[in-house]
Amino acid sequence: MRILLVEDEKKVADIIVRGLKAERFAVDACHDGQSGWEAANAYNYDLIILDLMLPGLTGTEILEKIRRKNSLVPVLILTARDAMADKIKNFEAGADDYLTKPFAFAELLLRVKALLRRGPVNRASVIRVGDLEIDRLSQNVKRAGKKIVLTAKEYALLEYLATQPGRVFSRTMIIEHVWDQSFEGLTNIVDVYVRHLREKVDDAHTIKLLCTVRGVGYSLNDGTPA
Ligand code: CA
């Protein structure tokens, strides 16, 4: 696993690099924003650790550039700023985790390992499938620009299917991800909710986005033939 660290405070950077290398990670360190972005752009890292206050480009600017490139690399933000507004801004820009200085290296390591275990995920705040638009922050859903009002469970189901358009999810997977552990009903609850979703999402349109794969489950497709 290869990690990029962008941190201008040499002392902090050295501690992190030494600690991560002791854990057998390959680590590249950059000490300013510009070289940090160049490294992030040039190499396909498994994880990037970004300080926010950097000479050259800020950590947030680097993060925005990374996400604009559609890179799904996990990004951990490291910063002395603990204001909530900053956290929200960086999560919206596509950060995966946030650690406030000063921190214990042990905690950094736990977070690094957790992010690497999870791997790249689609964290875009707006998911588009065909002409369907799902805003994961506001939980607003639109099709062809028209707002669709969904219940909480309908929304959760739609968002889950939309995380991987074209992938077929079994009823069991859907139950496990959309309903909680206390759910002991029948798996046909999924069929009921898919039916509700179809009425709201597909009925008024010629192109149907919700697909049934007989005997397997459901998927959300962008309407173009596979
Ligand atoms: Ca700094």
Side-chain angles (χ1 to χ4, degrees):
M1 293 286 188
R2 188 158 161 188
I3 298 173
L4 172 65
L5 169 69
V6 190
E7 165 64 82
D8 61 325
E9 274 171 78
K10 287 261 169 44
K11 245 172 74 186
V12 178
D14 286 348
I15 292 169
I16 297 174
V17 169
R18 226 178 305 134
L20 289 175
K21 282 188 173 165
E23 293 287 323
R24 314 268 164 90
F25 292 112
V27 190
D28 297 334
C30 295
H31 304 293
D32 66 85
Q34 189 57 38
S35 60
W37 158 241
E38 279 163 20
N41 192 31
Y43 192 84
N44 200 1
Y45 287 98
D46 298 296
L47 174 81
I48 298 178
I49 303 172
L50 270 185
D51 181 30
L52 280 191
M53 300 288 276
L54 293 163
L57 297 169
T58 67
T60 308
E61 285 168 335
I62 298 174
L63 176 59
E64 285 167 351
K65 280 169 168 287
I66 291 169
R67 293 296 179 240
R68 226 174 285 143
K69 241 182 67 169
N70 279 324
S71 166
L72 298 181
V73 60
V75 173
L76 170 64
I77 296 279
L78 219 56
T79 182
R81 298 185 189 180
D82 56 0
M84 192 46 98
D86 283 330
K87 288 193 186 178
I88 291 170
K89 195 170 138 218
N90 283 284
F91 275 118
E92 283 179 353
D96 296 272
D97 201 0
Y98 208 105
L99 193 56
T100 306
K101 294 175 187 174
F103 55 86
F105 178 76
E107 184 177 2
L108 173 74
L109 186 61
L110 281 176
R111 289 174 187 247
V112 162
K113 287 183 173 171
L115 287 173
L116 288 171
R117 227 180 5 250
R118 205 182 68 185
V121 291
N122 186 354
R123 66 188 66 65
S125 57
V126 177
I127 307 178
R128 290 186 181 85
V129 182
D131 58 358
L132 181 73
E133 211 179 280
I134 302 165
D135 186 326
R136 296 163 105 179
L137 289 175
S138 64
Q139 303 204 340
N140 280 325
V141 176
K142 286 182 195 163
R143 180 145 187 208
K146 234 180 111 187
K147 195 174 170 183
I148 299 172
V149 180
L150 299 176
T151 65
K153 273 285 173 267
E154 289 165 357
Y155 174 83
L157 172 59
L158 183 67
E159 194 201 80
Y160 180 58
L161 295 175
T163 53
Q164 286 171 279
R167 175 172 174 186
V168 182
F169 294 92
S170 71
R171 288 171 181 78
T172 311
M173 285 170 76
I174 293 171
I175 294 262
E176 280 173 7
H177 286 268
V178 177
W179 277 265
D180 56 39
Q181 278 186 334
S182 61
F183 180 79
E184 282 177 12
L186 301 163
T187 52
N188 75 6
I189 186 87
V190 175
D191 306 318
V192 173
Y193 273 85
V194 168
R195 199 158 64 230
H196 293 163
L197 268 184
R198 278 205 164 111
E199 284 166 12
K200 295 183 178 182
V201 173
D202 276 343
D203 274 7
H205 300 266
T206 331
I207 293 172
K208 310 297 179 197
L209 304 178
L210 282 151
C211 300
T212 306
V213 180
R214 212 169 286 280
V216 188
Y218 295 103
S219 72
L220 188 71
N221 298 298
D222 63 7
T224 54

